Amino acid sequence: MGGPLMVDRERFVIHLPVAAGDLLGAVRLARVVARWASLLSSTDPGETTVSAEDDQGVRHRVFCDLLLPGGRRCLLRADHDGPCTRRLVR
């Protein structure tokens, strides 16, 4: 017999609506909220998306979705130019 049986734990996702007047404003606000929430170990800001209220099936990614070595995500915006990084350029 093999080792202990791995059982996937059930997970729940919190959807927190935050309204903005346009897509660019929504993306900017989502980046701020996601970076703030990254202080909590249970968040994955790299998966942050925004959508129109009446078309929530069409989502726009806020951050680059590339996983870097070590399993952490790139901190840059989606569709950024240049190489991915874990450090923000100011």
Side-chain angles (χ1 to χ4, degrees), residues 9-10 26 43 72:
R9 293 180 12 185
E10 190 173 21
T43 63
R72 304 208 53 199

Side-chain angles (χ1 to χ4, degrees), residues 10 17 22 30 39-40 53 56 70 74 78 84-85:
E10 190 173 21
D22 57 38
L39 298 172
L40 305 171
E53 184 175 21
Q56 294 184 27
C74 174
C84 292
T85 184

Side-chain angles (χ1 to χ4, degrees), residues 14-64:
I14 297 170
H15 303 276
L16 176 63
V18 178
D22 57 38
L23 180 58
L24 182 59
V27 168
R28 287 178 176 159
L29 181 56
R31 291 174 64 81
V32 170
V33 171
R35 286 195 176 123
W36 172 82
S38 70
L39 298 172
L40 305 171
S41 63
S42 58
T43 63
D44 184 1
E47 289 296 324
T48 303
T49 59
V50 298
S51 67
E53 184 175 21
D54 58 351
D55 195 7
Q56 294 184 27
V58 178
R59 295 177 177 228
H60 303 272
R61 186 170 285 284
V62 172
F63 294 102
C64 176

